[in-house]
Amino acid sequence: MKFIRPNDMEGLFQNMEENNDRRYFLAGGTDINVQIKNGVIKNAEIIYIKHLKELNGIQIVKDDIVIGAVTNITEILNSKIIKENLPFFQRSLESFASPLLQTSATIGGNIANGSPTADVVPLLLVLDAKLEIVSKTQTRIIELNNFFTGYKTNIMKTNELIRSIIIPRKAENGFDTYFEKVGSRKSLMISKVTLAGLKNISHSKFTTVKLAVGSLNEYPRRLYKIEEYLTDKSLIEINFLKVEELLNEEITPITDLRSDKEYRYHVCVNLIRTFLNE
Amino acid sequence: MKIKFILNENEVSIDVDPMKRLLDILREDFGLTGTKEGCGEGECGACTVLLDGKPVTSCLVNAVHIDGKEVMTSEGIAQEPLGKLLIDCFDETNAVQCGFCFPGFLVTSYHYLITDGEKNPDKIKKALSGNICRCTGYQKIFESVMLACERKPLISTDQVN
């Protein structure tokens, strides 16, 4: 195992110039240490990044909230900026892993690790979050929704990393919010189905609907077809058979040791109903 | 890699593999075997210690993470007045059976006591939700922390005096 602790961003980029498929970044360590223990990661190059100040902290930048990638979940839960601007996001993160893991686990790590069950991703998707991806020579901003390409894969090259997560400051303003993570217990729960939703209603019609699911595909995603179908309809105009049909097109639940695919599908349907009826 | 940190209020330094787990550093290099390895994956809480005053599972923390930081283990907490109070309360309510998870519960309960300490069952349950006990069920553990919250003001007064 090769270990690198760069002193600053310049040192970090110098160490990232060469392509290396076995390069891993160490921030909070809550995922990588489990993978090392289980032998999934071995003979790797590990670059420590938790101490780099450019990757830490929560700031307001114009109309956005910018959260450094290695900011941990406890910091977000305690942040006054997040409390004032994104209270739904903050509240929902209380169900992240457990209080002990929240202290170490980082928001960028939860995204980059790419788990289909990642707790923060469905929330960030309905908040229209973007990622700032940096390399030595360029910075690009991409929508989180375009970040994942498959199971645990994403669009980043090996010379890039996530510097920050950008959330519009008014992402929650004027919306009814919904977040439900379904699993077998409250703490340390790996989700079976997660649904995050935002809606607003005018003259009893849904004017905007944003829905995102986790644990139902290779990676968490927005349910655009259902959003489109629901928009400009009132509750009585909605044909739930149609919603179920569209859901079938948008999700590909699997049967694994936590649950089976039929259960996941039906729970998701019920969560969408609850979200719309609340 | 040479690292320096504060361990139970003493400054220490050690030359160590930067990826070595804090759990192993405590047990192997410092002989502090109160910190237990249960699952080794951050799910059971038996290896909980305070890192800069916040509870973490030391099986998922590496040497590089603790450089320049402050680590407090169950042994250190057991020397503190509120740690002693908690141990007495665990004892009184028979909260401990096999004892394996107990150092982790002590650390997390101590953190709750110093940062909040309200005698509120819901808050206590949430605070302890990252620690697992396979013997007792949790009722007696919650009761003992409730008792410690009740008695905390007495301890604090003693300290001031």
Side-chain angles (χ1 to χ4, degrees):
Chain A
M1 205 92 81
K2 187 182 171 196
F3 183 86
I4 300 161
R5 183 190 184 281
N7 288 326
D8 48 29
M9 291 299 277
E10 201 184 320
L12 169 66
F13 290 132
Q14 265 168 19
N15 281 295
M16 288 167 59
E17 272 174 37
E18 275 174 45
N19 282 333
N20 186 346
D21 290 341
R22 306 215 56 76
R23 176 178 299 139
Y24 295 89
F25 295 105
L26 172 63
T30 53
D31 277 311
I32 201 170
N33 278 302
V34 176
Q35 294 182 48
I36 291 170
K37 173 177 169 276
N38 295 337
V40 179
I41 294 179
K42 46 192 168 189
N43 306 321
E45 174 190 292
I46 293 182
I47 305 184
Y48 183 63
I49 55 171
K50 177 67 186 123
H51 61 301
L52 296 170
K53 63 177 191 299
E54 288 85 349
L55 304 179
N56 274 285
I58 301 165
Q59 290 174 308
I60 300 174
V61 180
K62 291 180 187 165
D63 296 331
D64 293 316
I65 306 292
V66 179
I67 304 175
V70 304
T71 306
N72 67 46
I73 304 302
T74 301
E75 287 171 72
I76 300 173
L77 285 170
N78 294 335
S79 160
K80 209 175 152 211
I81 291 177
I82 302 293
K83 188 178 185 175
E84 281 166 6
N85 294 279
L86 303 167
F88 160 67
F89 177 55
Q90 191 174 55
R91 214 167 45 238
S92 304
L93 281 184
E94 283 184 15
S95 67
F96 185 100
S98 81
L100 303 178
L101 293 182
Q102 288 166 3
T103 315
S104 297
T106 65
I107 183 169
N110 196 239
I111 297 168
N113 187 47
S115 168
T117 66
D119 285 338
V120 304
V121 179
L123 282 167
L124 290 174
L125 284 171
V126 294
L127 297 174
D128 295 321
K130 296 185 177 79
L131 301 179
E132 180 192 2
I133 295 173
V134 293
S135 68
K136 188 175 184 177
T137 52
Q138 70 161 353
T139 296
R140 54 180 177 143
I141 311 276
I142 66 132
E143 286 178 27
L144 176 61
N145 193 51
N146 297 328
F147 178 70
F148 299 106
T149 52
Y151 177 73
K152 293 209 164 197
T153 58
N154 61 57
I155 59 153
M156 280 194 296
K157 301 184 197 105
T158 59
N159 66 351
E160 291 181 309
L161 89 164
I162 303 172
R163 198 201 77 80
S164 70
I165 291 88
I166 303 168
I167 309 170
R169 203 173 161 178
K170 294 189 171 153
E172 295 178 10
N173 272 26
F175 286 104
D176 295 331
T177 57
Y178 182 84
F179 181 68
E180 192 66 47
K181 183 180 160 190
V182 178
S184 307
R185 63 199 298 273
K186 277 188 186 164
S187 185
L188 286 161
M189 180 231 295
I190 299 172
S191 120
K192 295 176 178 183
V193 180
T194 301
L195 182 80
L198 300 182
K199 65 177 186 202
N200 57 26
I201 301 167
S202 170
H203 302 290
S204 68
K205 284 183 195 291
F206 296 108
T207 44
T208 313
V209 180
K210 297 179 186 185
L211 280 169
V213 289
S215 309
L216 295 173
N217 290 300
E218 308 92 310
Y219 50 90
R221 67 182 63 177
R222 283 278 287 267
L223 302 176
Y224 286 121
K225 287 179 187 171
I226 296 180
E227 292 178 7
E228 194 186 334
Y229 172 74
L230 296 171
T231 304
D232 293 326
K233 286 194 179 59
S234 64
L235 204 51
I236 49 165
E237 287 170 328
I238 293 167
N239 174 357
F240 274 93
L241 289 174
K242 180 70 185 168
V243 174
E244 290 182 24
E245 189 187 310
L246 290 170
L247 187 65
N248 241 331
E249 291 173 24
E250 299 225 66
I251 66 171
T252 49
I254 58 161
T255 295
D256 62 13
L257 60 111
R258 282 193 298 283
S259 197
D260 57 43
K261 59 179 190 247
E262 293 80 8
Y263 174 85
R264 287 187 155 112
Y265 173 76
H266 286 297
V267 168
C268 187
V269 171
N270 291 343
L271 292 180
I272 293 173
R273 271 180 193 271
T274 309
F275 160 70
L276 293 172
N277 278 303
E278 260 185 6
Chain B
M1 180 184 182
K2 216 165 180 181
I3 60 166
K4 258 194 207 171
F5 63 104
I6 294 168
L7 177 57
N8 296 331
E9 299 184 339
N10 299 311
E11 200 174 304
V12 295
S13 66
I14 180 176
D15 199 358
V16 67
D17 174 350
M19 290 301 285
K20 187 165 184 175
R21 303 181 304 172
L22 174 56
L23 168 70
D24 298 327
I25 295 173
L26 293 171
R27 292 181 62 88
E28 293 167 9
D29 299 299
F30 291 96
L32 295 172
T33 52
T35 306
K36 306 295 184 197
E37 174 157 20
C39 67
E41 300 191 355
E43 306 219 349
C44 76
C47 66
T48 308
V49 301
L50 296 183
L51 178 60
D52 277 355
K54 295 201 179 72
V56 295
T57 51
S58 62
C59 69
L60 300 181
V61 174
N62 306 94
V64 64
H65 286 116
I66 60 168
D67 191 21
K69 302 270 172 83
E70 195 172 334
V71 176
M72 185 97 153
T73 68
S74 58
E75 288 92 343
I77 287 169
Q79 301 302 317
E80 297 290 317
L82 288 176
K84 286 181 182 157
L85 167 70
L86 273 164
I87 293 171
D88 287 345
C89 292
F90 277 115
D91 199 16
E92 237 177 277
T93 58
N94 286 317
V96 186
Q97 209 173 93
C98 90
F100 190 85
C101 66
F102 170 61
F105 271 101
L106 176 64
V107 174
T108 316
S109 306
Y110 177 78
H111 178 257
Y112 178 74
L113 216 53
I114 56 171
T115 55
D116 189 321
E118 190 194 331
K119 191 184 166 188
N120 175 327
D122 291 338
K123 279 189 178 179
I124 292 170
K125 282 180 188 174
K126 196 173 167 193
L128 299 184
S129 65
N131 293 78
I132 290 175
C133 170
R134 296 286 84 160
C135 295
T136 62
Y138 298 91
Q139 200 50 44
K140 291 183 173 191
I141 297 174
F142 298 146
E143 280 168 19
S144 59
V145 179
M146 295 275 280
L147 189 61
C149 292
E150 203 176 297
R151 291 185 186 166
K152 182 186 164 186
L154 305 170
I155 299 292
S156 306
T157 316
D158 285 349
Q159 285 243 282
V160 175
N161 294 339

